[in-house]
Amino acid sequence: MRLSATQHLARRVAGRHPELPENIAGTLRLDLRDGGHTEHWYLTIGQQHVDVAPSADDAELIVRGDRGVFDRMAAGELHLAAALLRNDLTVQGNVQLLGTLRRLFPGPPDARHPREAAGERGGLA
């Protein structure tokens, strides 16, 4: 079942993320535009934990885009960097937090770790 961006934020982003570096802390706001309406999601990150709440409060990093772009990212169909390069997303604030945001959205469903792929081809493991 494909999750929307809001479902992904509520179900999979909120909580503990051991893959995040322990020293990363900050606040992000995602602005999901849908026609004439904008939905705001506020993420507070610290000590490998992410709190998620609907809020339009100011944050260290604000990422804006159409709801469809965020939905595609939540489904693993679109990478954050590609969306930025296509100007599908705009950012304002501390861009160092973009790496953290990238880790909170899934990669493509068939993606594998580079070491696993190299091992299957007989490369270095």
Side-chain angles (χ1 to χ4, degrees), residues 1 8 12 24 42 51 69 79 87 90 93-94 100 105 108 118 123:
M1 178 176 105
H8 176 74
R12 297 200 177 144
I24 296 294
Y42 194 86
D51 290 319
V69 172
H79 192 276
N87 236 5
T90 60
N94 182 356
T100 304
F105 281 90

Side-chain angles (χ1 to χ4, degrees), residues 16-80:
R16 181 158 161 61
H17 290 270
E19 73 277 6
L20 292 178
E22 292 179 7
N23 62 342
I24 296 294
T27 57
L28 294 92
R29 190 181 79 210
L30 307 179
D31 292 351
L32 290 69
R33 290 186 310 260
D34 192 1
H37 174 72
T38 301
E39 188 174 348
H40 306 280
W41 286 88
Y42 194 86
L43 286 66
T44 305
I45 302 167
Q47 298 178 345
Q48 297 180 315
H49 187 83
V50 181
D51 290 319
V52 178
S55 174
D57 288 348
D58 199 23
E60 293 174 64
L61 175 66
I62 300 171
V63 182
R64 295 180 178 98
D66 289 335
R67 173 183 295 281
V69 172
F70 284 102
D71 286 345
R72 289 180 57 213
M73 286 174 40
E77 298 170 356
L78 179 63
H79 192 276
L80 174 69

Side-chain angles (χ1 to χ4, degrees), residues 74-109:
E77 298 170 356
L78 179 63
H79 192 276
L80 174 69
L84 287 167
L85 289 172
R86 291 184 187 129
N87 236 5
D88 290 337
L89 295 175
T90 60
V91 296
Q92 174 185 343
N94 182 356
V95 294
Q96 291 179 329
L97 291 171
L98 278 174
T100 304
L101 182 61
R102 181 190 56 79
R103 292 173 187 230
L104 298 176
F105 281 90

